[in-house]
């Protein structure tokens, strides 16, 4: 299996990556299930951070679609490695609503990242507001 973590910037007019989440969720949920892809999509301000993992073929197909998706730009790959076990058992996404406190958000993130390697956690923490 292959695991990729990347970040990118939304191209939406509002400049908020979370505004794209409903459409992405609709497309990605069913599709990832069929493709054997699991992961975590995180939106904060104008940035996306996504960890995806699954069979090599599904992963190359998904990366090609992501690279051609005009809803984001400046896709930068942070991690691209071969794994024997999944770090994310489910396909989920997380984003902070403007009304949610950073502490409450941090609690939710901590639950989702339980059992994930320190290196992977570091990438998600790096995107968090101070
Ligand atoms: C930030 C971001 C994350 C996405 N994550 C996924 C994903 O995990 N799985 C997926 O199938 N599509 C995901 N998409 C959507 C794909 O880029 C693509 O639009 C979708 O797979 C449909 O592709 P198609 O129209 O070529 O069939 C994501 C798009 C963005 C902008």
């Amino acid at each position: 299996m292959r695991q990729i973590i990347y970040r990118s910037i939304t191209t939406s007019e509002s400049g908020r990556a979370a505004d794209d989440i409903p459409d992405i969720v609709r497309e990605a949920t069913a599709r990832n299930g069929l493709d054997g892809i699991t992961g975590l999509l995180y939106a904060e301000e104008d940035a996306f951070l996504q960890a995806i993992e699954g069979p090599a073929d599904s992963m190359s197909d998904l990366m090609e679609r992501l690279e051609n998706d005009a809803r984001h730009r400046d896709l930068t790959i942070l991690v691209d490695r071969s794994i024997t076990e999944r770090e994310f058992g489910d396909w989920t996404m997380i984003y902070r609503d403007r009304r949610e406190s950073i502490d409450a958000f941090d609690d939710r993130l901590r639950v989702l990242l339980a059992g994930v390697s320190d290196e992977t956690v570091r990438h998600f923490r790096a995107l968090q507001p101070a």
Side-chain angles (χ1 to χ4, degrees), residues 74-94:
D74 300 344
L75 193 158
T76 308
I77 292 177
L78 306 172
V79 175
D80 184 351
R81 61 180 184 134
S82 155
I83 51 168
T84 49
E85 276 176 41
R86 291 178 193 270
E87 286 195 295
F88 302 91
D90 294 307
W91 153 237
T92 357
M93 51 249 98
I94 186 164

Side-chain angles (χ1 to χ4, degrees), residues 3-114:
Q3 183 188 62
I4 290 176
I5 302 177
Y6 73 85
R7 52 181 306 174
S8 62
I9 304 289
T10 182
T11 53
S12 80
E13 261 174 44
S14 69
R16 297 193 73 237
D19 291 349
D20 298 329
I21 294 260
D23 283 346
I24 295 172
V25 173
R26 206 172 308 124
E27 289 169 10
T29 306
R31 183 125 192 192
N32 286 353
L34 293 173
D35 295 344
I37 288 179
T38 52
L40 181 61
L41 172 64
Y42 178 15
E44 177 72 42
E45 301 288 333
D46 62 350
F48 291 111
L49 182 73
Q50 188 175 29
I52 39 181
E53 58 193 15
D57 287 356
S58 303
M59 287 290 291
S60 349
D61 289 353
L62 175 55
M63 283 315 290
E64 200 176 314
R65 301 202 303 277
L66 287 169
E67 270 155 16
N68 292 318
D69 196 320
R71 289 172 292 186
H72 60 178
R73 59 178 169 87
D74 300 344
L75 193 158
T76 308
I77 292 177
L78 306 172
V79 175
D80 184 351
R81 61 180 184 134
S82 155
I83 51 168
T84 49
E85 276 176 41
R86 291 178 193 270
E87 286 195 295
F88 302 91
D90 294 307
W91 153 237
T92 357
M93 51 249 98
I94 186 164
Y95 61 94
R96 197 164 59 87
D97 189 277
R98 282 176 194 194
R99 288 157 300 190
E100 184 177 16
S101 74
I102 290 178
D103 284 350
F105 176 76
D106 195 54
D107 286 346
R108 285 202 294 139
L109 187 63
R110 193 171 306 126
V111 170
L112 287 169
L113 294 178

